[in-house]
Amino acid sequence: MTRKLPSLARYAALAVAAVLTLGPVWWTFTTSLRPAAESFSLPPSFFPLSPDFSSYAAVFEQIGVPLLVLNSALVTGVIAVGQMITAAMAGYVFARMEFRGKNALFATVLSTMMVPAQVTIVPVFMLIRGMGLSDTLLALILPAIPTAFGTFLMRQYFLGLPLELGEAAAIDGASPWRTFSSIYAPLALPGMAIVGVLAFNFHWNEFFRPLIFMISEQNYTLPLGLVTLQGNLGTGSISVVLAGVVLSMVPAVVVFLFGQRYLREGLTAGASK
């Protein structure tokens, strides 16, 4: 009996955590199926008595969903692929190559994780404007490709791979690039996949940088487009707004479901070191 108590406590804690995490998501979905007048009823209702899907049709009527999704998919996809490539290359250099100042440089890269985006947004904006990329999707893509966390993650992943593989390739005359591209990079695909999944989920929902950089509506990403559903002075229907939020969550959830195995592998890659 005493052995079951710790297990029951863990299950209870997990159940509470699940309710706290999924509760707002469930409320968002159910509220999108109710009339706006019933959205803030007290006590709150978590089960719509008469589900109404008209709010989802209203989302497509009020904003250009296909264009917004296309812009978000293009920006997010290029950023994810770019981070996978650059993080793998930088992580391999920091893990397997020796050069003067490597540790200091790596510490500098990690220190950038502690700098909020709001601190660097002004110089980044000035650089983007100087390059003539203002109000373009490239203004969102280029600054987001370098990733300090992805570099750290891939470094830990490469440190967990056998060193003997690189030594054998060097004996056979392979160059450092050939060793990376032909031997280590294929083995590091799970780590690269987790970098891509995390990048996709973060930048798909990103709002701050698009709000600063984008002016033209044809360049809006999906989060910016959803804000317009609020209407002037917030007079829009809350059900329509939340219906748009639910639709925007679908791609991120799908990517996470397909990449969750790589997520577990990538986050625990360096745990045994």
Side-chain angles (χ1 to χ4, degrees):
M1 182 64 181
T2 56
R3 294 181 179 179
K4 294 182 178 180
L5 291 178
S7 298
L8 292 176
R10 285 196 297 268
Y11 289 137
L14 291 174
V16 172
V19 171
L20 293 176
T21 303
L22 299 178
V25 178
W26 177 251
W27 181 86
T28 299
F29 174 69
T30 56
T31 303
S32 70
L33 302 178
R34 289 196 294 266
E38 300 178 3
S39 300
F40 299 103
S41 58
L42 293 176
S45 174
F46 288 90
F47 299 95
L49 299 178
S50 53
D52 182 10
F53 290 88
S54 61
S55 296
Y56 290 87
V59 173
F60 288 88
E61 295 173 358
Q62 296 183 24
I63 60 176
V65 175
L67 179 60
L68 295 173
V69 171
L70 178 61
N71 289 341
S72 289
L74 179 61
V75 171
T76 307
V78 174
I79 290 176
V81 174
Q83 287 194 5
M84 291 168 63
I85 296 174
T86 57
M89 295 173 65
Y92 177 77
V93 169
F94 283 121
R96 294 302 186 197
M97 302 187 71
E98 297 297 331
F99 55 92
R100 181 177 299 178
K102 182 179 76 170
N103 294 332
L105 180 58
F106 184 64
T108 302
V109 171
L110 291 185
S111 66
T112 62
M113 297 172 59
M114 297 182 289
V115 181
Q118 291 80 0
V119 174
T120 59
I121 193 66
V122 173
V124 170
F125 180 82
M126 298 298 291
L127 287 173
I128 290 297
R129 189 177 65 175
M131 296 170 63
L133 299 177
S134 299
D135 194 26
T136 65
L137 297 182
L138 283 176
L140 300 177
I141 294 173
L142 294 180
I145 288 181
T147 165
F149 176 76
T151 300
F152 168 75
L153 182 65
M154 292 307 302
R155 174 183 178 273
Q156 296 304 110
Y157 202 94
F158 283 119
L159 287 176
L161 296 179
L163 181 62
E164 292 79 7
L165 295 175
E167 294 174 347
I171 293 174
D172 290 339
S175 64
W177 170 253
R178 181 63 182 274
T179 302
F180 165 73
S181 61
S182 299
I183 298 177
Y184 282 108
L187 294 176
L189 286 178
M192 297 171 64
I194 185 53
V195 172
V197 170
L198 293 178
F200 185 94
N201 280 273
F202 177 81
H203 291 284
W204 180 265
N205 299 310
E206 189 178 20
F207 178 77
F208 177 68
R209 291 192 314 122
L211 179 64
I212 300 298
F213 292 146
M214 296 295 105
I215 300 174
S216 305
E217 292 187 2
Q218 64 266 24
N219 291 328
Y220 277 9
T221 56
L222 189 56
L224 281 182
L226 294 179
V227 173
T228 62
L229 294 175
Q230 295 181 357
N232 187 29
L233 300 178
T235 57
S237 170
I238 185 63
S239 299
V240 176
V241 174
L242 294 183
V245 172
V246 172
L247 291 175
S248 70
M249 289 191 298
V250 173
V253 171
V254 171
V255 170
F256 175 78
L257 290 178
F258 279 100
Q260 60 179 331
R261 179 170 65 89
Y262 298 111
L263 177 64
R264 293 192 300 269
E265 293 179 1
L267 292 180
T268 59
S272 60
K273 296 296 292 180

